Amino acid sequence: MVKFIIKRILAMIPQLFILSLLVFMLTKAMPGDPISASFLNNPNLDPEVIEELKEKHGLNDPWYVQYTNWIKRLLQGDLGVSYVHKVKISKLLGERFANTVVLGAATLIISYLIAIPLGIIAGRYQDSLADKLIVGYNYFSYAVPLFVFALLMLFIFGFRLGWFPTSGSVDPQVTKGTLEYYLSRLHHLILPATTAALLSTVGTIQYLRSEIIDTKYQDFVKTARAKGTPEKYVYNRHILRNSLLPIAAFLGTDIVSILGGSIFIEQIFGYPGIGQLFISSILQRDYSVVVVLVMLSGFLAILGTLLSDIIMSIVDPRIRIEE
Amino acid sequence: MSQKPLLQINHLKTSFRIGDEYYAAVDDVSLTVNENEVVAIVGESGCGKSALALSIMKLHQPENTKIEGEIIFNGTNLVPLTIEEMNKFRGKEIGMVFQDPMTALNPLMRVGQQIEEGMKNHLKLSKEEMKKRAIDLLDKVGIPNPERTYYRYPHELSGGMRQRVVIAIAIACEPKLLIADEPTTALDVTIQAQILDLLKDMQKEMQTGIILITHDLGVVAEMADKVAVMYAGEIVEFADVETLFTNPLHPYTRSLFNSLPSAEHVQDRLHVIQGMVPSLKNLPRKGCRFADRIPWVDRSAHEENPEMREVEKGHWVRCTCWQHFDFPDEAEVKSYAIT
Amino acid sequence: MPLLKVENLKVYYPIRSGFFRLVRDYVKAVDGISFEIKEGETYGLVGESGCGKTTTGRTIIGLNKATDGHVYLNTNGDQVDLVKLSRKEFRKYRQDIQMIFQDPYSSLNIKKRVRDIIAEPLRNFEKLTPEEEEQRVIDALEKVGLGPDSMYKYPHQFSGGQRQRIGIARALVINPKLIIADEPVSALDVSVQAQVLNFMKDIQKEFNLSYLFISHDLGVVRHMCDRIGIMYKGRLVEEGTAEDIFENPQHLYTKRLLSAIPNINPKKRYENQRLREQINREFVEKSREFFDEEGRIYDLKPISSTHSVAIP
């Protein structure tokens, strides 16, 4: 198992290398550069000064020189400096990354808390009224665009009812480390996390429902009933465990989608995380940050599939990791 | 041999819902299984033999199935029982062996757990007692190295070994009746022979009654004491095994024997039964159900409401058409050919 | 000259492992088998699941790649080694060999009409006008006893036996010389099985077809085959006429296989069971006489003009 994980991580290196090359070249192919972008609204500035600054930051070097320089620094643990924010990217990322992870984890947990019971009910009592309502909710959450729903939630629970704050990740007036601070964070988290969760249940519910319907008619369930096993155990021990397998397999990729999914939610709820940073960095041509963020999501994607494989090998005895 | 009836099926009718209508897959079947007796139910796919087996255990989807008539097991009629009441019989009094050992076991549970589940449901045993008993059972069904197999998952075993596990599960609580639904159909011949021999030995040792569902007349000859031949939801012939194999009477039984290629004697052509098995929706509900498939036999040879009659001691045949039935020569068959 | 001559055919699958996926060992699915099929003859390849019989059939028709050996096909007096041909060259000869599969339910594309199913090999191998194609399809359907109105139906509108006949019509439409039938009746009921078997015999006589009949059912094999090869662990353990094999089996494995067939005579059941027990004991005790030190089956040695057995 350990050997397998090490092997897979080693195999990640060339993948990440190709990804970095690709991302780097793409950002270079984008029109504009951070220096010009930051002085865009200042027509008085001498173009020669801009040229000088570009030269100083190495932006006029051929791309492969820029790339090798960047990789060298990256390998030393230096993610580089944001042109726009003028701070080290590692510092810029730090807190935002933590915010996004917390938001993503909360979303995932709430999503499972809603989806698993609903999927079970829909699958077990197939074609009942409850099943029809759940399938209806599924269609709804699938069809409604995230930003419309998020704005609606923000309007109702944030502005009209005033139950939850409408932006930020914590009340700036509370002191860090106190109970109050954590409660405030939780308070800020509930609305964006619930909103995202309500719309992300669709896959899990649908999958679980059809898995349960499928498993219900399997021969081994007949075997279990033929032993005189009470229905409660037939469902818990036999049907459910087998139906949850694919859900467990998705967990790895779900974790990765935290990053992607956060972009809209963070933007709408003014939640300072990676997603928000990503959008502003693109708009401001802050290449160094964009590249690092894309690399990060690529890394997580590869990690996610590895995680899925490991989870599968734990929950399903038929899948064994070799060496 | 003891002649105490263990299971008495009276006028059983099992119907399945298709759309809004119910169609009887098992139609007015009566059958007795005595203690310590192997009764084979033989027929082709769609004849209702599996539906009959599942009816006894009430393993059909309740929302789409209607069971009428009586299934009396040791004095209790199982038909009106709720699932909870039924669970006292399932696994305890009646065990079941399924056709496909590849799908009959839960892939996520260890073999030992799956054997113990039935004991947990019915017997008050400690953990250690259950484990010991499970290992004993694995040993009894001929699994080498039972202590290790106890911890194995189904996918780690071959098809034959899995079928042995399925049998171990079925006999875990020493049921009085075993229902084996095509227990060897999915297996290779040499494995089939081993499993049949095992079932025979178990039956002798534990004095179990067995209902053996099969399409294979060879398996019937190897295993059964008595045989019921089913066609289109009905039993058309019932006799002890030697009578049925030496003196089959119903046209369907005789046709089946004649269409069987044999490894013992070579014939050039096999008999082909005309037409095809009607689907559940299109089963003939009136008159002799086999009449359409022997069109050369005069209509008047059949009864209007064919009944099972005892034509010699213990040998029952449905309809009167058997008295007028003979195989036509080939040219004649061709003129009736329906493709 | 035989129609098909298989010589020392081997199909190995590599087992790879380690970081560089190096080949560590081989699964010897087919491990050096030789046999011949004459024109108009039915050769039965018999064995239990995993013995390599299906792989052999699939390799002859080019669905699997042979590791070693030869498959000579006799086309108009020339012998062509199919193993040596490139994929493109092989296509020329593919129409001489067709295959029928086990499951008539899954081997036909349910979304296609019967006409298109049967015309598929024609479209692959011949260039015909739509009228010519239709005529060929009608002819093929007629050969299998189905009317031209079946052309525009879909597979689900037919019974199991009829579907298997559609599969046979598809194989027959380009006039093959050899049909490889892989468990053609295993999925069918006895009465339907009889229909398909009779029918296969009829068209064999009519078109002088040869069959490679792959099956595990010894009753069916006895009924159908002129000569039989018994396969075990990728090798042939015994070969001979149907009579040689069934009346005078020599190899321990053949005996074991034959004794396993349920006997249709209920009076003999205990006798059979004892015979099986005895043979199973022998199978353990005498294994040195039939398998070499590595557990490999010996090469076939002729014991009569028709009968060969794998003995040292």
Side-chain angles (χ1 to χ4, degrees):
Chain A
M1 182 79 154
V2 178
K3 222 172 149 190
F4 167 79
I5 294 170
I6 292 170
K7 233 168 78 181
R8 283 285 295 264
I9 289 172
L10 285 178
M12 278 166 73
I13 293 169
Q15 288 175 311
L16 282 174
F17 175 73
I18 292 167
L19 180 72
S20 71
L21 205 65
L22 218 66
V23 171
F24 198 83
M25 280 160 70
L26 276 175
T27 49
K28 288 296 149 187
M30 282 203 305
D33 61 77
I35 311 285
S36 321
S38 53
F39 296 118
L40 205 58
N41 299 324
N42 190 350
N44 297 333
L45 201 79
D46 191 343
E48 266 179 44
V49 179
I50 296 180
E51 248 342 275
E52 216 172 279
L53 277 167
K54 276 191 181 176
E55 193 64 46
K56 191 181 142 205
H57 283 99
L59 288 171
N60 286 343
D61 293 341
W63 69 267
Y64 51 86
V65 178
Q66 292 187 35
Y67 178 73
T68 34
N69 285 335
W70 176 72
I71 281 284
K72 264 186 211 156
R73 284 200 300 272
L74 192 69
L75 290 176
Q76 286 158 7
D78 179 7
L79 297 179
V81 176
S82 159
Y83 297 113
V84 175
H85 300 273
K86 311 279 190 275
V87 290
K88 285 206 158 212
I89 293 176
S90 46
K91 195 169 173 239
L92 195 65
L93 280 180
E95 191 146 319
R96 288 164 198 265
F97 189 64
N99 279 343
T100 297
V101 168
V102 170
L103 175 63
T107 306
L108 210 59
I109 291 167
I110 298 172
S111 162
Y112 280 140
L113 283 178
I114 301 171
I116 290 177
L118 289 186
I120 292 171
I121 293 168
R124 179 164 180 179
Y125 305 104
Q126 185 195 354
D127 294 330
S128 67
L129 181 67
D131 176 34
K132 281 174 184 145
L133 287 174
I134 291 165
V135 171
Y137 155 65
N138 246 5
Y139 282 131
F140 172 80
S141 66
Y142 187 61
V144 172
L146 175 71
F147 64 92
V148 173
F149 184 67
L151 284 174
L152 200 72
M153 293 286 280
L154 191 65
F155 177 71
I156 296 171
F157 295 100
F159 291 104
R160 281 315 271 282
L161 298 171
W163 290 356
F164 300 103
T166 54
S167 82
S169 67
V170 68
D171 192 337
Q173 281 153 17
V174 297
T175 358
K176 214 169 171 176
T178 58
L179 176 67
E180 221 185 346
Y181 172 83
Y182 288 109
L183 284 176
S184 165
R185 289 203 69 155
L186 189 66
H187 195 206
H188 281 78
L189 195 62
I190 292 172
L191 194 56
T194 313
T195 304
L198 278 173
L199 292 193
S200 65
T201 51
V202 57
T204 313
I205 294 182
Q206 202 58 37
Y207 237 98
L208 193 53
R209 178 180 182 270
S210 57
E211 275 298 317
I212 286 180
I213 292 171
D214 229 38
T215 315
K216 256 196 325 203
Y217 300 105
Q218 299 264 324
D219 282 353
F220 67 81
V221 175
K222 258 188 215 150
T223 309
R225 292 207 168 102
K227 292 180 213 172
T229 306
E231 280 302 289
K232 188 173 75 182
Y233 294 123
V234 169
Y235 269 89
N236 293 344
R237 229 182 260 158
H238 295 279
I239 298 178
L240 202 56
R241 275 184 61 190
N242 279 279
S243 305
L244 281 172
L245 284 185
I247 308 292
F250 280 137
L251 187 62
T253 40
D254 275 350
I255 289 171
V256 177
S257 67
I258 288 175
L259 257 193
S262 65
I263 292 178
F264 286 108
I265 286 288
E266 289 178 1
Q267 196 68 16
I268 291 165
F269 288 92
Y271 189 89
I274 298 282
Q276 214 190 25
L277 180 67
F278 189 64
I279 290 188
S280 65
S281 302
I282 289 179
L283 292 176
Q284 294 170 327
R285 304 282 184 273
D286 201 351
Y287 296 152
S288 50
V289 179
V290 173
V291 171
V292 169
L293 286 178
V294 174
M295 287 294 291
L296 186 66
S297 64
F299 175 72
L300 285 177
I302 299 169
L303 204 65
T305 46
L306 173 64
L307 207 60
S308 279
D309 288 351
I310 294 172
I311 293 171
M312 278 310 277
S313 76
I314 293 169
V315 295
D316 190 339
R318 283 167 298 185
I319 296 170
R320 237 184 315 167
I321 289 173
E322 280 174 44
E323 288 165 89
Chain B
M1 194 178 286
S2 130
Q3 285 295 304
K4 217 177 129 211
L6 180 64
L7 182 83
Q8 262 180 303
I9 299 173
N10 296 325
H11 306 289
L12 180 73
K13 186 172 174 180
T14 303
S15 317
F16 298 124
R17 197 178 67 188
I18 303 173
D20 290 328
E21 300 264 348
Y22 278 88
Y23 296 90
V26 177
D27 209 347
D28 197 19
V29 163
S30 300
L31 183 73
T32 302
V33 181
N34 292 320
E35 275 178 1
N36 193 20
E37 183 178 79
V38 182
V39 176
I41 299 173
V42 65
E44 295 181 282
S45 41
C47 73
K49 59 189 192 299
S50 282
L52 173 62
L54 290 175
S55 301
I56 299 167
M57 287 290 254
K58 299 208 356 179
L59 284 173
H60 292 298
Q61 294 298 314
E63 57 272 22
N64 297 321
T65 317
K66 213 161 65 183
I67 301 179
E68 294 156 274
E70 286 181 325
I71 300 170
I72 297 171
F73 178 83
N74 252 351
T76 314
N77 184 4
L78 302 179
V79 172
L81 296 191
T82 64
I83 294 297
E84 288 74 35
E85 291 166 324
M86 198 58 213
N87 274 338
K88 296 196 181 80
F89 290 87
R90 291 174 175 172
K92 176 81 173 70
E93 308 285 334
I94 312 173
M96 188 145 182
V97 177
F98 294 90
Q99 172 173 355
D100 189 353
M102 294 302 170
T103 57
L105 296 171
N106 187 336
L108 301 186
M109 274 168 86
R110 291 179 199 277
V111 163
Q113 289 173 283
Q114 304 202 38
I115 298 175
E116 284 172 4
E117 191 175 15
M119 301 181 210
K120 252 183 228 161
N121 294 335
H122 302 294
L123 311 174
K124 287 198 168 59
L125 293 177
S126 71
K127 262 203 160 128
E128 293 70 38
E129 287 170 320
M130 283 200 292
K131 186 178 169 189
K132 191 182 170 298
R133 191 171 171 142
I135 291 173
D136 285 349
L137 279 163
L138 286 171
D139 190 39
K140 205 173 183 177
V141 296
I143 287 181
N145 218 335
E147 287 87 4
R148 252 176 61 202
T149 309
Y150 178 90
Y151 291 105
R152 286 275 152 88
Y153 286 100
H155 72 273
E156 297 171 299
L157 306 177
S158 70
M161 286 299 139
R162 285 192 221 185
Q163 195 62 319
R164 288 169 194 267
V165 172
V166 172
I167 292 171
I169 289 173
I171 62 170
C173 302
E174 300 188 346
K176 296 185 187 74
L177 178 69
L178 199 64
I179 301 172
D181 187 2
E182 302 266 12
T184 57
T185 305
L187 305 172
D188 270 322
V189 254
T190 54
I191 312 292
Q192 159 165 304
Q194 291 168 11
I195 296 289
L196 291 181
D197 290 343
L198 171 71
L199 280 174
K200 264 185 277 182
D201 293 342
M202 298 273 104
Q203 195 263 339
K204 254 186 267 169
E205 192 191 320
M206 299 168 68
Q207 311 264 305
T208 333
I210 295 185
I211 296 181
L212 176 74
I213 311 282
T214 183
H215 69 280
D216 189 332
L217 287 165
V219 171
V220 175
E222 288 272 351
M223 286 288 295
D225 297 318
K226 289 179 182 163
V227 192
V229 181
M230 271 187 90
Y231 179 79
E234 292 179 330
I235 292 178
V236 294
E237 187 160 359
F238 181 82
D240 67 76
V241 68
E242 280 180 24
T243 310
L244 193 98
F245 276 73
T246 48
N247 185 26
L249 293 178
H250 194 276
Y252 178 62
T253 316
R254 292 177 62 189
S255 304
L256 270 187
F257 275 111
N258 267 9
S259 60
L260 202 64
S262 151
E264 301 229 314
H265 42 87
V266 192
Q267 69 269 58
D268 186 42
R269 296 188 67 77
L270 302 166
H271 173 69
V272 174
I273 305 177
Q274 297 301 301
M276 46 174 141
V277 177
S279 68
L280 182 55
K281 263 177 119 162
N282 301 320
L283 284 192
R285 301 285 172 194
K286 262 193 185 151
C288 178
R289 295 187 179 190
F290 197 59
D292 286 346
R293 306 197 63 185
I294 41 171
W296 60 89
V297 173
D298 197 79
R299 287 270 151 191
S300 64
H302 299 286
E303 272 177 274
E304 206 168 308
N305 291 306
E307 278 178 35
M308 289 290 274
R309 281 199 189 77
E310 196 168 18
V311 296
E312 56 184 313
K313 192 170 179 332
H315 190 174
W316 296 71
V317 185
R318 189 177 294 274
C319 195
T320 44
C321 58
W322 65 272
Q323 295 162 359
H324 309 270
F325 176 77
D326 217 339
F327 290 107
D329 60 39
E330 207 167 308
E332 207 177 330
V333 173
K334 279 232 165 88
S335 69
Y336 287 105
I338 319 155
T339 42
Chain C
M1 203 189 292
L3 175 68
L4 189 86
K5 189 172 166 191
V6 174
E7 220 174 74
N8 199 24
L9 185 71
K10 291 180 182 168
V11 185
Y12 290 0
Y13 296 113
I15 304 171
R16 290 167 190 278
S17 63
F19 190 73
F20 296 104
R21 317 295 304 146
L22 293 176
V23 177
R24 295 287 156 89
D25 203 353
Y26 292 96
V27 175
K28 296 173 177 174
V30 179
D31 191 15
I33 68 168
S34 309
F35 61 91
E36 293 178 0
I37 305 177
K38 296 187 200 74
E39 215 169 279
E41 181 186 50
T42 302
Y43 186 89
L45 212 48
V46 184
E48 299 185 276
S49 43
C51 73
K53 58 190 192 300
T54 294
T55 309
T56 305
R58 291 175 57 92
T59 308
I60 292 170
I61 205 171
L63 292 172
N64 283 0
K65 223 181 127 35
T67 310
D68 196 13
H70 309 279
V71 176
Y72 296 109
L73 179 73
N74 179 4
T75 59
N76 312 317
D78 286 335
Q79 276 206 332
V80 193
D81 185 358
L82 299 179
V83 170
K84 293 249 158 55
L85 297 181
S86 71
R87 203 165 258 279
K88 217 173 155 190
E89 291 168 312
F90 195 99
R91 278 179 59 92
K92 272 190 280 180
Y93 303 101
R94 251 307 292 274
Q95 54 181 307
D96 284 342
I97 312 175
Q98 287 291 306
M99 192 150 180
I100 316 172
F101 297 92
Q102 169 172 3
D103 188 354
Y105 300 91
S106 62
S107 67
L108 301 179
N109 186 337
I110 50 161
K111 290 183 198 136
K112 283 189 175 172
R113 290 173 307 174
V114 167
R115 190 209 147 121
D116 297 312
I117 291 171
I118 295 176
E120 202 189 303
L122 283 177
R123 290 171 193 163
N124 287 338
F125 294 108
E126 295 177 36
K127 283 205 160 49
L128 298 175
T129 65
E131 291 77 30
E132 288 171 324
E133 184 187 289
E134 186 170 303
Q135 194 50 51
R136 291 283 289 276
V137 172
I138 292 173
D139 291 346
L141 281 170
E142 205 187 340
K143 283 179 197 166
V144 300
L146 293 170
D149 50 324
S150 336
M151 263 205 311
Y152 298 102
K153 289 185 186 163
Y154 289 88
H156 68 87
Q157 291 167 287
F158 294 90
S159 70
Q162 287 172 325
R163 263 185 266 198
Q164 194 55 296
R165 282 195 271 168
I166 293 169
I168 297 174
R170 176 176 58 184
L172 282 180
V173 71
I174 48 171
N175 305 318
K177 295 180 178 136
L178 172 69
I179 289 183
I180 298 176
D182 188 1
E183 305 270 10
V185 292
S186 310
L188 305 174
D189 269 320
V190 205
S191 65
V192 185
Q193 167 182 303
Q195 193 185 19
V196 172
L197 292 180
N198 279 350
F199 169 72
M200 283 180 73
K201 279 197 162 183
D202 290 346
I203 55 170
Q204 174 167 44
K205 262 180 235 151
E206 203 174 332
F207 305 105
N208 199 25
L209 284 171
S210 305
Y211 289 126
L212 175 60
F213 197 93
I214 299 170
S215 179
H216 71 278
D217 186 327
L218 291 151
V220 173
V221 167
R222 171 111 218 225
H223 177 73
M224 289 299 287
C225 301
D226 305 308
R227 289 191 309 124
I228 294 166
I230 306 279
M231 264 187 101
Y232 183 56
K233 293 186 172 169
R235 309 258 301 159
L236 280 172
V237 297
E238 189 159 358
E239 188 192 63
T241 62
E243 214 185 309
D244 290 336
I245 298 289
F246 281 91
E247 308 301 335
N248 186 23
Q250 292 298 315
H251 197 278
L252 202 50
Y253 180 73
T254 314
K255 288 184 191 167
R256 184 177 168 191
L257 205 58
L258 293 177
S259 73
I261 314 172
N263 196 303
I264 205 83
N265 184 353
K267 282 177 191 153
K268 283 194 187 160
R269 63 166 74 145
Y270 293 107
E271 203 179 304
N272 281 333
Q273 191 175 350
R274 273 196 298 280
L275 179 67
R276 277 200 290 271
E277 279 160 10
Q278 184 203 327
I279 288 174
N280 282 340
R281 265 198 309 278
E282 275 178 36
F283 202 75
V284 182
E285 288 161 8
K286 293 194 184 167
S287 72
R288 284 312 277 273
E289 291 170 35
F290 293 92
F291 305 98
D292 69 12
E293 296 82 41
E294 290 158 29
R296 194 168 186 261
I297 292 147
Y298 293 108
D299 289 333
L300 286 180
K301 286 211 173 54
I303 56 165
S304 81
S305 60
T306 55
H307 195 171
S308 318
V309 188
I311 39 174

